[in-house]
Amino acid sequence: DRDTPLTWIADEAGLPYYRGDEHDVLGRFVAAAAIFEADIIMRITGDCPCLDPAICADVLRLFLATPGIAYASNDTTVSGFPDGLDAEVFSRSALIAADRATSSPVDREHVTPWLRRSVPQVMLELKTATIPLEHLKLSVDCEADLDRVRRVYGCLDEGDTSLAGTVAAWRRAGYEL
């Protein structure tokens, strides 16, 4: 399996993990949430290597502070955050509802489309940027993206994975804002 090297790393670090159906990511999330008894789940993806932990924490805080919601995000298609800084938080009960409600291949592969269409939600928006940042692409979907992210990552100040640090590294890497 393609994910076997990741299990070696997890084993070596003493970290628990779950492997499930490669083609049913939604079902895999449901099973992992049950096994690890997670009532609140944060979804981040491997194609977003420049995540800012503070933004992830802000999305979690927003979820916890907003009564009656089942899903929170900083949806980078509309929030003002750069693509690649995506974080989503949802309840296990909403995840189970999605699993029961949808058989759509897109919903099963991408985990949260059904949630975004169907449950009460809230979104974290970028309000502090003095210049627009939504055009920055920090996710990896092709070889050119990987090259760009490697270049930006190589210009980060050591240990600084903040949005401000990533924007500064973007500039140092020679990209315009």
Side-chain angles (χ1 to χ4, degrees):
D1 289 338
R2 295 181 313 175
D3 59 349
T4 297
L6 292 174
T7 65
W8 297 337
I9 293 168
D11 284 336
E12 193 171 298
L15 299 172
Y17 58 87
Y18 169 75
R19 293 169 66 166
D21 184 340
E22 184 178 348
H23 302 288
D24 183 6
V25 185
L26 176 57
R28 200 165 64 224
F29 264 72
V30 170
I35 289 167
F36 294 110
E37 299 178 351
D39 292 325
I40 298 171
I41 296 102
M42 176 174 286
R43 178 175 182 255
I44 56 175
T45 60
D47 62 350
C48 297
C50 295
L51 284 171
D52 179 344
I55 293 170
C56 295
D58 287 344
V59 173
L60 177 60
R61 274 192 287 280
L62 180 62
F63 177 86
L64 295 171
T66 311
I69 63 147
Y71 174 84
S73 76
N74 67 325
D75 182 346
T76 61
T77 63
V78 294
S79 67
F81 285 97
D83 177 25
L85 298 182
D86 313 73
E88 300 172 290
V89 176
F90 41 88
S91 65
R92 180 168 36 162
S93 59
L95 186 67
I96 291 168
D99 185 52
R100 291 179 179 157
T102 185
S103 60
S104 159
V106 169
D107 290 347
R108 310 283 323 163
E109 178 184 354
H110 297 287
V111 183
T112 58
W114 186 90
L115 295 173
R116 292 191 304 259
R117 292 190 311 268
S118 306
V119 301
Q121 58 196 268
V122 66
M123 182 175 49
L124 179 70
E125 295 185 39
L126 180 61
K127 297 178 181 171
T128 58
T130 56
I131 55 173
L133 299 175
E134 59 270 354
H135 66 283
L136 275 64
K137 185 164 185 337
L138 296 166
S139 63
V140 177
D141 297 306
C142 65
E143 192 71 32
D145 293 344
L146 181 59
D147 291 342
R148 180 179 48 259
V149 167
R150 281 180 173 155
R151 189 168 161 188
V152 170
Y153 206 84
C155 293
L156 281 172
D157 289 334
E158 186 173 335
D160 186 1
T161 57
S162 69
L163 174 57
T166 301
V167 169
W170 180 273
R171 287 180 172 146
R172 285 193 296 272
Y175 298 109
E176 292 188 29
L177 292 179

